[in-house]
Amino acid sequence: MIATTAVPDRVRGALSRWMTEPDAGLYVGTMNARVRQELWSAVSASVGDGAAVCLHPADNEQGYVVLTAGERRRRVLDFDGLQLIRMTAQVEEVEERAPEWLPETPEPAAGSPEGAEGAEAGFGAQESPFDDLPEEGWGPDR
């Protein structure tokens, strides 16, 4: 089984010659070890900015081997013969995006206690959007 993400069309074409594509970017097939090695060599050399993962049967405790190519957040680690997956943080992207996605806090109205309370609720010196709702019939008894 080979799963691909954002690989060039030529890679998808090469994989579709040897394997079936039941879902976009997911290829499944049965082949001998030599064909699998040659195909994975071609895929891993051609992923470009994309990524690919290959899982194939193996004679080990897990019963399979995981191979990866390209930049991915998931890294395969060998832990006493077991292949485990480690997620890595993308610190650079979070630091670059942090100012854009954080909401701005409104400034409280100067000198008014209502403005300070409204600022805590996120409304600044404006009226609450709930002021025009009827007060009757909205209690906990309803």
Side-chain angles (χ1 to χ4, degrees):
M1 191 235 11
I2 296 178
T4 61
T5 305
V7 295
D9 289 338
R10 66 179 182 275
V11 174
R12 298 182 73 193
L15 287 170
S16 66
R17 289 184 195 133
W18 292 95
M19 305 171 88
T20 304
E21 187 178 15
D23 198 10
L26 180 66
Y27 300 87
V28 182
T30 303
M31 61 195 75
N32 63 36
R34 182 175 177 179
V35 171
R36 182 184 63 239
Q37 287 174 343
E38 291 295 322
L39 188 59
W40 180 248
S41 295
V43 169
S44 60
S46 305
V47 293
D49 292 335
V53 177
C54 175
L55 281 91
H56 65 83
D59 190 21
N60 62 17
E61 290 293 320
Q62 287 177 303
Y64 60 89
V65 171
V66 179
L67 305 172
T68 61
E71 289 297 318
R72 306 182 55 85
R73 288 189 58 203
R74 291 175 172 85
R75 305 270 187 234
V76 179
L77 298 176
D78 183 67
F79 185 76
D80 290 335
L82 294 176
Q83 287 188 309
L84 303 176
I85 306 300
R86 177 182 178 198
M87 294 289 291
T88 58
Q90 295 178 345
V91 176
E92 296 168 8
E93 289 184 23
V94 172
E95 289 176 5
E96 291 174 8
R97 289 186 358 197
E100 296 173 12
W101 61 267
L102 286 175
E104 293 183 20
T105 56
E107 294 294 323
S112 76
E114 292 85 17
E117 290 172 10
E120 290 174 9
F123 298 109
Q126 302 171 358
E127 293 183 18
S128 169
F130 303 108
D131 287 343
D132 59 340
L133 292 176
E135 293 183 20
E136 305 164 357
W138 288 96
D141 298 339
R142 187 161 193 205

